[in-house]
Amino acid sequence: MNDPAPEDTPRKAPARLYDEKVMENLEHINELRKALMKSLIAVVVGSAISFAFAQQLIEVLAVPIGGVDKLTAIEVTESLGVFMRVSLLAGFILSLPVIFYQILSFIHLYPNEKKYVRRFVPFAVLLFIGGVAFNYFVMLPAALPFLTEFLGIKTVPRLSNYIEFVTNFMFWVGVSFEMPLIMYI
């Protein structure tokens, strides 16, 4: 009576398979957590470095509109919010190599494909920075006079609205410059 019945054996095999699948999923989730934590740490370190240069970055971002003196701040915390936004975005841009590497290394590739990942990271960063530079030097100087003098009405932009517009515009143009690399991959 203590001998297991032949019909009991097949029932245990699927349970073992289920446990192995759960362990594989948990290991995969743990790898994702590690990749996200490394990316987050890189963004925090990049943002901390950017805090020291945020004022200069804001002044550089305001050049296409005519300088910081052409902008107005209405709310009490507006300048602080802009300072934090620029610092975080600059920290994100500084940490892009780490973020791209973590994303690409999280995807399980064959060993011969991993060598291509190391080649793609610098190109991805260069394409993003190229998009941001194209936006700053070509698109913004053409767009801002049109947008601020539309219908002949002179616009005095708020600091927060202008920086939000410029950083969003730069970020998404930088992302759009990643398309050739995405198409190649």
Side-chain angles (χ1 to χ4, degrees):
M1 282 205 171
N2 291 338
D3 293 333
E7 59 212 31
D8 290 341
T9 307
R11 290 183 195 160
K12 291 182 182 178
R16 252 186 276 134
L17 279 172
Y18 176 76
D19 290 341
E20 289 172 7
K21 292 275 187 197
V22 168
M23 287 305 293
E24 286 177 13
N25 288 339
L26 290 176
E27 289 171 4
H28 196 64
I29 290 171
N30 193 32
E31 288 178 25
L32 175 64
R33 182 187 61 81
K34 287 178 182 177
L36 289 174
M37 287 304 294
K38 289 176 185 175
S39 298
L40 181 64
I41 289 169
V43 170
V44 168
V45 169
S47 296
I49 293 169
S50 300
F51 274 32
F53 304 104
Q55 179 65 35
Q56 291 87 352
L57 290 172
I58 291 169
E59 291 171 5
V60 168
L61 289 174
V63 167
I65 198 83
V68 178
D69 55 330
K70 300 286 183 181
L71 301 169
T72 60
I74 297 173
E75 298 173 12
V76 175
T77 60
E78 189 169 346
S79 298
L80 178 64
V82 166
F83 184 88
M84 297 300 284
R85 179 183 185 91
V86 169
S87 297
L88 288 172
L89 184 62
F92 175 77
I93 291 171
L94 284 176
S95 64
L96 273 178
V98 175
I99 293 171
F100 283 143
Y101 184 77
Q102 291 301 318
I103 289 170
L104 292 174
S105 67
F106 177 71
I107 302 169
H108 291 287
L109 301 172
Y110 295 109
N112 62 343
E113 293 174 337
K114 287 192 179 198
K115 66 181 177 184
Y116 294 113
V117 168
R118 291 185 190 99
R119 292 181 190 164
F120 287 138
V121 170
F123 286 118
V125 172
L126 288 175
L127 286 172
F128 185 85
I129 291 172
V132 169
F134 178 78
N135 180 284
Y136 183 78
F137 291 111
V138 176
M139 295 178 79
L140 278 176
L144 286 174
F146 173 76
L147 294 172
T148 58
E149 296 173 9
F150 189 71
L151 293 178
I153 300 170
K154 185 69 176 162
T155 304
V156 179
R158 285 180 53 191
L159 176 65
S160 62
N161 289 348
Y162 173 76
I163 295 295
E164 180 180 352
F165 167 73
V166 169
T167 55
N168 280 338
F169 199 24
M170 287 179 153
F171 177 78
W172 289 112
V173 170
V175 168
S176 70
F177 268 57
E178 298 290 328
M179 282 301 154
L181 186 63
I182 292 170
M183 296 301 291
Y184 181 75
I185 292 173

